[in-house]
Structure formats: C-alpha cells, structure tokens
Amino acid sequence: MTPPATALTGSITRQLDQLSAHLSQAGPQQAAQILQQVLDAENGVLGRLSALVGTGTYVTKHHAQSSLFPAEMWLALGRTANTLHDLALDLDEHQEVFEEIASRRALTTSSPTATRATALVARGRHR
C-alpha cells in the first residue's frame, strides 16, 4: 500500500505535468490565465510551493537539531525557501499584465499592434 503522502506527491507531480502540457499548447489568453494562477505569490502554485518548502525548512531544522538530518540540508532548504519567496514576489508584480491579457475579448493577429515586432527584455539576477 502506498503511503498517503507519497500518493499525493505523485498525483501533484502528474497534474503539474498535465498543466505544463496545456500551457505549452495554450493561446495568449489561456496562457495568461494559467500563468496568472500559477505565479500568484499567495495562492498560486508558486506561492504554495514556496510555503511547502518553508514548511520543509522548519521540519528539517527540527530533525537537524536532533542530529537526524544534516544541518546542511536545513540550511539549503532555508535558502531555497527564501529564493522561492523572493521570486514569487518579483513575479507578483506582473499579475496585472496577466490579468489584462487574460481578460481581453479576442486577440487578433491582423491588427498592426499584434503583428509589430517587439524587443524582449530579460531581467535577471547576477551571481
């Protein structure tokens, strides 16, 4: 018999794979809707994942203090939780854009603004 947490993790993983497949085939409006929900810093998938890793940080801290887990594991999870939280907040700044695109009635490729080339701007953190 599969432990409930293992079955739940497997189910979530499969659903994320399905969502990724839907996103890869989505048009602009549907992609914006999916990304808006996924990237929501509080209630979206990224926000919930950040909270889950944060919970993992507390659990590993407890076990590290009991010498059951290596302290490095706790520290690595803590850094990961902080990074995910920061990324979620950075992406949350763009929620209005996703909302605006998702709520458009119809996107046409025949309009001059839709066919105009635009420059892509990438921001990133340098390490």
Side-chain angles (χ1 to χ4, degrees):
M1 185 166 149
T2 305
T6 302
L8 180 59
T9 302
S11 174
I12 291 168
T13 303
R14 284 187 297 282
Q15 289 178 334
L16 286 171
D17 286 343
Q18 290 173 351
L19 185 58
S20 182
H22 283 290
L23 179 59
S24 71
Q25 301 297 314
Q29 286 179 296
Q30 188 179 20
Q33 289 170 346
I34 293 169
L35 290 170
Q36 181 183 15
Q37 293 174 349
V38 168
L39 300 176
D40 183 291
E42 195 169 321
N43 297 313
V45 175
L46 184 57
R48 302 318 320 146
L49 178 62
S50 179
L52 177 64
V53 174
T55 301
T57 300
Y58 290 109
V59 170
T60 57
K61 177 183 178 183
H62 172 74
H63 292 308
Q65 289 171 335
S66 302
S67 299
L68 298 171
F69 285 8
E72 295 81 15
M73 184 183 235
W74 163 45
L75 295 173
L77 272 173
R79 285 191 303 272
T80 302
N82 289 337
T83 300
L84 280 172
H85 177 74
D86 290 346
L87 289 170
L89 291 178
D90 287 348
L91 290 167
D92 201 47
E93 294 176 10
H94 303 283
Q95 282 296 329
E96 291 175 2
V97 175
F98 289 128
E99 185 178 328
E100 191 272 322
I101 294 169
S103 65
R104 289 182 187 162
R105 290 199 186 273
L107 294 176
T108 61
T109 57
S110 61
S111 71
T113 57
T115 57
R116 180 180 52 189
T118 59
L120 292 176
V121 178
R123 292 188 321 154
R125 294 185 179 153
H126 299 282
R127 294 179 188 225

